Amino acid sequence: MHDHPSHNETRALRLGVAGPVGTGKSSVIAAICRQLRDEFALGVITNDIYTDEDARFLKSAGVLPAERIRAVETGSCPHTAIRDDVTMNLIAVEDMERDFAPLDIVLVESGGDNLTATFSPALVDAQIFVLDVAGGGDVARKGGPGISGADLLVINKIDLGEHVDVDVDRMVADATNARKGGPVLALSRKRPETVEQLCAWVREMHKTYAAGGHIPVDPGPMAPHHHGEGDGHSHSHGHTHSHD
């Protein structure tokens, strides 16, 4: 177990948002910020390998003052910076908390990754994993640490279901089954009631955390996997170590 500071109002809830490329992680964060910025003091840390594109998107959307949105350029495959060596992110989070103290919630967005990417509990207190219907209705059945172990699974862009021939209700049922009843939220930024459900979950998580009632749970290490790089070289990770 990692040692965490005592859970109180002086240390922000650190909430990770992970998921494959293009599932809408930035839009999930934007929705949370828009809805909750008047209730909570918020900050955002985005991750990308070589760019600050996600941070620029959030700044241009005006969801928070620009100085409360900061980018970490990881320079490596995204999961490395959120799981294997969280130093860059931890420094960014702690700098943000110091500069804008007291913050209530810091949202940490992972770079787009695969279905097994999860945050280390050394970095975040709770994590949201984001899928989208355009990625295919069968994705939720495939499972993996992110799908099965994150504190909340979001199935995003449900308004697109009919256009991509995905049965959203079936996808939610499959996800709930894969998570053994853990919370699953069907979300569309175009459906305000679903955005409110997302924000209600964040409110409740913060309340539980601030009261000392939330213990970070590690969804588990990534499965062994392989990357083929664009320059013709490749590297692989066989993560068998745990972060207990």
Side-chain angles (χ1 to χ4, degrees):
M1 287 290 291
H2 292 280
D3 291 330
H4 281 255
S6 59
H7 291 184
N8 56 46
E9 293 292 354
T10 63
R11 215 283 254 143
L13 166 67
R14 298 169 183 178
L15 182 57
V17 180
V21 173
T23 55
K25 296 180 294 295
S26 293
S27 70
V28 166
I29 288 175
I32 290 171
C33 291
R34 274 194 202 96
Q35 293 290 109
L36 297 181
R37 62 192 174 194
D38 294 332
E39 296 178 44
F40 297 103
L42 303 172
V44 177
I45 305 294
T46 67
N47 277 230
D48 218 331
I49 299 178
Y50 301 120
T51 74
D52 62 352
E53 188 173 327
D54 291 333
R56 285 189 283 118
F57 163 78
L58 289 167
K59 289 176 181 178
S60 67
V63 297
L64 285 179
E67 63 271 16
R68 289 176 178 255
I69 301 168
R70 295 180 180 172
V72 171
E73 294 183 29
T74 62
S76 61
C77 44
H79 51 260
T80 300
I82 66 166
R83 181 161 192 95
D84 301 328
D85 182 1
V86 301
T87 308
M88 291 173 68
N89 270 298
L90 210 50
I91 290 170
V93 170
E94 289 170 351
D95 285 350
M96 175 80 74
E97 290 178 355
R98 184 189 63 243
D99 293 348
F100 298 101
L103 285 176
D104 297 310
I105 302 171
V106 177
L107 295 145
V108 184
E109 179 185 3
S110 170
D113 213 314
N114 58 39
L115 292 176
T116 66
T118 59
F119 286 86
S120 167
L123 177 60
V124 301
D125 303 299
Q127 50 191 296
I128 298 172
F129 199 82
V130 184
L131 298 177
D132 73 305
V133 298
D138 62 339
V139 175
R141 288 200 297 276
K142 295 179 179 178
I147 290 173
S148 62
D151 296 273
L152 175 68
L153 179 67
V154 169
I155 296 176
N156 200 17
K157 308 178 190 175
I158 57 171
D159 53 294
L160 298 181
E162 60 183 304
H163 304 292
V164 292
D165 295 325
V166 169
D167 182 334
V168 172
D169 291 340
R170 172 71 187 277
M171 190 172 179
V172 169
D174 287 343
T176 303
N177 186 54
R179 288 171 56 76
K180 296 180 170 55
V184 178
L185 176 62
L187 179 70
S188 168
R189 61 186 175 84
K190 298 179 180 179
R191 299 184 186 178
E193 70 280 6
T194 66
V195 175
E196 177 50 39
Q197 289 168 358
L198 171 65
C199 292
W201 182 88
V202 174
R203 284 188 197 99
E204 191 60 31
M205 177 57 68
H206 180 267
K207 179 181 177 183
T208 302
Y209 168 81
H214 177 74
I215 298 172
V217 175
D218 189 348
M222 297 185 65
H225 63 287
H226 176 82
H227 294 275
E229 305 292 9
D231 60 4
H233 297 88
S234 65
H235 68 282
S236 63
H237 305 273
H239 296 309
T240 56
H241 56 285
S242 73
H243 290 253
D244 291 337

